[in-house]
Amino acid sequence: MKEYDIDKIMQEYDAFVEIVRQISVSAEEQIQKLKGTVVTDEIATDFSEIGVPYARNLLVYGWITQEQFSLVQDIEEKLNQMTQKKELWNNDALLSSIEWENCRKKGKDLLGTLEI
């Protein structure tokens, strides 16, 4: 059996949880926390380019379940679908669109399975 660096796994898990928390909080909190960035892009990029690879690793390590990884994939798919609609990539859409609300809800569902 392959050995894993427990400190690295723990860091990835903590970073993954923080990324999931970021996509789960209210639009107002997202805007406040990520002030000075293009908030929608930052949320999506963090989730897709950092969170998803961490989730893949954590699945391999046995630190998340296949069900949890499926939620990650659901959020990733929603974000990918949203890229087709330029009108969703601004703070007004973050505050009012059903698409962003669905991402937050899925994120909250996933977060609820990660935190004890």
Side-chain angles (χ1 to χ4, degrees):
M1 180 169 179
K2 186 175 178 181
E3 296 222 3
Y4 299 107
D5 179 347
I6 192 72
D7 290 332
K8 179 179 182 260
I9 297 169
M10 288 172 57
Q11 287 174 350
E12 286 187 11
Y13 184 84
D14 290 345
F16 174 67
V17 170
E18 187 54 38
I19 289 167
V20 174
R21 186 175 290 120
Q22 178 177 277
I23 204 167
S24 302
V25 298
S26 72
E28 294 82 6
E29 290 175 86
Q30 291 168 329
I31 291 166
Q32 181 61 34
K33 181 177 180 184
L34 298 170
K35 190 173 10 178
T37 69
V38 178
V39 177
T40 51
D41 289 352
E42 189 72 22
I43 292 167
T45 300
D46 285 354
F47 191 86
S48 297
E49 295 181 10
I50 302 169
V52 172
Y54 281 167
R56 281 190 192 102
N57 290 343
L58 293 167
L59 180 63
V60 169
Y61 304 148
W63 279 51
I64 65 171
T65 65
Q66 183 60 52
E67 293 79 16
Q68 290 167 318
F69 188 71
S70 292
L71 286 170
V72 170
Q73 291 175 307
D74 288 348
I75 296 166
E76 174 72 351
E77 180 61 29
K78 286 184 184 311
L79 291 170
N80 285 337
Q81 291 170 359
M82 289 166 59
T83 62
Q84 305 303 313
K85 300 179 180 178
K86 292 184 192 284
E87 68 273 13
L88 293 176
W89 297 92
N90 59 64
N91 287 355
D92 289 338
L94 190 64
L95 288 161
S96 63
S97 77
I98 190 70
E99 291 89 347
W100 279 109
E101 185 55 38
N102 286 339
C103 285
R104 282 190 290 275
K105 177 168 182 346
K106 285 280 188 186
K108 287 175 191 169
D109 292 346
L110 176 56
L111 192 62
T113 71
L114 296 172
E115 296 184 328
I116 299 173

